[in-house]
Amino acid sequence: KNEVEQSPQNLTAQEGEFITINCSYSVGISALHWLQQHPGGGIVSLFMLSSGKKKHGRLIATINIQEKHSSLHITASHPRDSAVYICAVGGSQGNLIFGKGTKLSVKP
Amino acid sequence: GVSQNPRHKITKRGQNVTFRCDPISEHNRLYWYRQTLGQGPEFLIYFQGTGAADDSGLPNDRFFAVRPEGSVSTLTIQRTQQEDSAVYLCASSRQTRGFSPLHFGNGTRLTVT
């Protein structure tokens, strides 16, 4: 079993829809990252959180430490949101363990 | 941002390759990851300053990385094999207590023929 599991693996949505991507992990962590990877490989850090909730524009990330679960929400989705979204968890030693990613496609 | 070169490298099996990563200048931590198609990045090694704080992800002794002056890092793969074909990603972050956001380079795509 992978230490970081994301669901769904693939997601297709219509423009304007509310989107949720889930991440569950089985290891103790110090922080959880949500990353966005566009075709061509560039990875951008969206959020880093260790508790509660963070919001940036149309993106919201939440984490429940007790349940070892995090969600990334996108409100009013747009075709430019199409990308792979990756959850990564970090332990106290500095290493990060990555999920396999969720491929999101938003259709106009 | 974080700069990696070359962007692409095609090499024949058995050759050595070296990749370079220039992190953001004030970033103390530097990470190397490997990503194959359809998978998330896989940890290889991370540096705190000049020293390798964790090299547990290096798959075998053909892989090694250095960061001699605490800034630029190189990753070398000796006697390349076809299974080494992947995108090699570098990332850097500030050293703080715990974690700070990662900044990734665009990666080096290695193809071993």
Side-chain angles (χ1 to χ4, degrees):
Chain A
K1 187 178 187 301
N2 291 330
E3 292 168 300
V4 181
E5 297 272 3
Q6 286 186 236
S7 64
Q9 284 188 314
N10 293 282
L11 180 56
T12 300
Q14 287 298 126
E15 184 173 357
E17 285 185 359
F18 180 83
I19 288 163
T20 296
I21 300 170
N22 296 299
C23 175
S24 296
Y25 53 92
S26 57
V27 295
I29 69 167
S30 295
L32 182 143
H33 298 251
W34 281 104
L35 308 162
Q36 180 190 56
Q37 186 170 29
H38 281 285
I43 295 179
V44 174
S45 178
L46 298 174
F47 294 103
M48 184 187 67
L49 63 166
S50 55
S51 65
K53 176 180 173 179
K54 286 191 176 180
K55 184 176 189 294
H56 183 101
R58 295 180 295 106
L59 302 178
I60 303 166
T62 63
I63 188 169
N64 184 317
I65 296 293
Q66 288 73 31
E67 294 186 4
K68 296 189 174 180
H69 181 268
S70 175
S71 293
L72 176 69
H73 306 285
I74 305 175
T75 61
S77 59
H78 190 276
R80 65 175 175 266
D81 297 327
S82 298
V84 175
Y85 291 84
I86 303 172
C87 169
V89 299
S92 59
Q93 300 305 312
N95 183 13
L96 285 181
I97 304 170
F98 288 77
K100 292 185 178 181
T102 295
K103 186 175 180 180
L104 172 65
S105 178
V106 181
K107 305 293 186 187
Chain B
V2 178
S3 175
Q4 289 187 248
N5 63 76
R7 287 298 309 275
H8 303 275
K9 178 72 177 177
I10 300 173
T11 192
K12 291 186 177 178
R13 189 164 58 93
Q15 297 295 304
N16 298 343
V17 294
T18 294
F19 309 139
R20 177 186 169 107
C21 173
D22 283 82
I24 293 172
S25 58
E26 64 268 25
H27 284 186
N28 184 269
R29 290 183 176 177
L30 184 148
Y31 302 79
W32 283 101
Y33 296 94
R34 176 170 70 173
Q35 187 175 27
T36 53
L37 192 63
Q39 302 293 315
E42 173 194 16
F43 170 75
L44 296 176
I45 184 171
Y46 104 88
F47 292 89
Q48 200 150 289
T50 60
D54 183 351
D55 65 357
S56 61
L58 295 177
N60 52 59
D61 61 7
R62 296 187 295 105
F63 288 70
F64 65 92
V66 295
R67 194 185 184 200
E69 296 178 2
S71 54
V72 170
S73 176
T74 58
L75 173 68
T76 298
I77 309 172
Q78 295 179 319
R79 305 182 302 281
T80 52
Q81 303 294 315
Q82 284 190 318
E83 61 263 27
D84 300 334
S85 296
V87 175
Y88 289 83
L89 294 163
C90 176
S92 69
S93 70
R94 292 179 186 276
Q95 179 172 359
T96 61
R97 290 188 69 178
F99 286 83
S100 60
L102 292 175
H103 297 259
F104 282 83
N106 286 326
T108 294
R109 181 177 297 277
L110 172 66
T111 302
V112 182
T113 61

